[in-house]
């Protein structure tokens, strides 16, 4: 293994034997051997479930790699094999350096020991002497910040306190490889912020990170590369932004398949009453459920998905006078014009945008439904876009307007048109989503007006 590769996974497989009944385990233990002894073909009394199938990838020193996938896709099983707590059925895992892992919450803790005793126990498991842990103990206790509970049995801890102590131990010992499996999800927002700051510091010091999370933005911004697991197999592997996009597409396909099944059942139950009576045609997706990801013919095809009953034709940025523009300054008015076309007769539409900076951080998301919600709450009597009727083949435009309060950066606009069954984002179905629909740049006239950061908070000084 190359000296700069600290984790190498080659053709990794994990198979579990699933038994229908407990007595089948006894049958499997005895009967196949007897059958072979008597010259009969042996019979298995179990079904095979492959939790991980033919997974291969490598991670270099100091690299951050995310692992994403739906529940049951094999993420935790993969991590357990990498850490050595689970043996693979076949394939190999090679690692270099000390591994610290946050897998199942509280794993590695003795519930009857106090927090203090568990700190020394975990330190010993990681290869540290008592003297070395003594030197780090104050830093561990300070980061965990659980006060007097440190001398109470761990079994009395809440899940948040357990996380604080476990994370504090793992990061303060400065591992060569840090593995985190969804554990941070139970922490409060302030502690999560401290955790991410600590992770960033470890990465800058050369620690390698394997990070599992359902939070797509965290994976996109914290990691360089990502692995998308689907039913135990690698569905995508590469740059985090590209892999997260493939994951979002798959989530959309799965959701479409689910709602298509529900719609079919309701339709059959109602003697094949057309769902189109409400103005929404179900099941005419451009991306038909179950067919997998579409074959992309261009860069733009790879960046869009949706059910196809309406689509975004174009997204443009305009200045205050309605002239096309791509460069703006703080205080300027930015108009985002979204041109759409409906393929069906329908209402309950929502046209929206999401704005991200070049680092991939979501800055803002907003749509016509947000304005509708405010109109309804204020009872102002203004026009509600959600109630607007669109006809088949109609092309229409929506302008979203904002005053620029953004910092210097390059910004991406993602456009979307969705069907909202209720006017509150509680039942959304994406009809068309387009990444990289448009771009604009924000510059600053430093001699006239200046601020730092991602957004202008319009501070004022008094004295």
């Amino acid at each position: 293994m190359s000296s700069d590769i600290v984790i190498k996974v080659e053709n990794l497989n994990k198979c579990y034997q699933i038994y229908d009944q407990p007595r089948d385990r006894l049958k499997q233990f005895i009967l196949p051997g007897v059958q072979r002894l008597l010259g009969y073909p042996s019979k298995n009394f179990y079904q095979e479930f492959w939790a991980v199938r033919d997974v291969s990838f490598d991670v270099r020193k100091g690299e951050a790699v995310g692992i994403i996938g739906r529940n049951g896709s094999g993420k935790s099983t993969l991590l357990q094999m990498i850490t050595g707590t689970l043996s693979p059925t076949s394939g190999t895992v090679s690692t270099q350096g000390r591994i610290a892992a946050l897998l199942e919450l509280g794993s590695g803790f003795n519930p009857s020991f106090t927090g203090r005793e568990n700190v020394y126990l975990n330190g010993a498991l990681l290869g540290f002497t008592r003297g070395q842990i003594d030197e780090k103990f104050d830093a561990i206790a300070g980061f965990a910040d659980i006060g007097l509970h440190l001398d109470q049995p761990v079994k009395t801890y809440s899940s948040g306190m357990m996380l604080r102590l476990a994370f504090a131990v793992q990061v303060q010992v400065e591992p060569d490889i840090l593995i985190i499996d969804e554990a941070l999800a139970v922490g409060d927002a302030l502690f999560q912020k401290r955790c991410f700051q600590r992770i960033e510091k470890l990465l800058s010091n050369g620690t390698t990170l394997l990070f599992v999370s359902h939070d797509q933005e965290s994976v996109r911004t914290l990691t360089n590369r990502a692995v998308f697991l689907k039913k135990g197999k690698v569905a995508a592997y590469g740059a985090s932004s590209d892999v997260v996009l493939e994951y979002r597409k798959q989530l959309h396909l799965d959701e479409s398949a689910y709602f298509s099944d529900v719609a079919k059942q309701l339709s059959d139950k109602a003697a094949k009453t057309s769902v189109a009576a409400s103005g929404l045609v179900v099941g005419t997706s451009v991306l038909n459920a179950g067919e997998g990801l579409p074959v992309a013919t261009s860069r733009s095809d790879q960046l869009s998905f949706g059910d196809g009953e309406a689509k975004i034709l174009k997204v443009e940025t305009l200045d205050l006078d309605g002239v096309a523009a791509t460069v703006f300054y703080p205080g300027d008015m930015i108009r985002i014009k979204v041109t759409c076309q409906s393929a069906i007769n329908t209402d309950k539409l929502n046209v929206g945008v999401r704005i991200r900076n070049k680092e991939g951080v979501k800055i803002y998301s907003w749509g016509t439904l947000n304005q509708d919600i405010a109109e309804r709450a204020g009872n102002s009597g203004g026009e509600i876009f959600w109630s607007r009727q669109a006809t088949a083949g109609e092309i229409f435009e929506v302008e979203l307007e904002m005053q620029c309060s953004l910092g210097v950066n390059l910004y991406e606009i993602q456009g979307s048109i969705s069907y909202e069954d209720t006017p509150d984002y509680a039942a959304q179905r994406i009809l068309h989503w387009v990444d990289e629909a448009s771009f604009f740049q924000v510059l600053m006239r430093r001699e006239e007006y200046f601020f730092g950061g991602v957004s202008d908070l319009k501070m004022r000084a008094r004295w």
Side-chain angles (χ1 to χ4, degrees), residues 165 179 192 214 278:
L165 187 61
I179 299 176
Q192 286 185 12
H214 288 291
S278 65

Side-chain angles (χ1 to χ4, degrees), residues 31-33 35-36 40-44:
L31 294 182
Q35 290 168 337
R36 286 193 296 269
Y40 295 106
S42 61
K43 174 187 175 183
N44 291 327

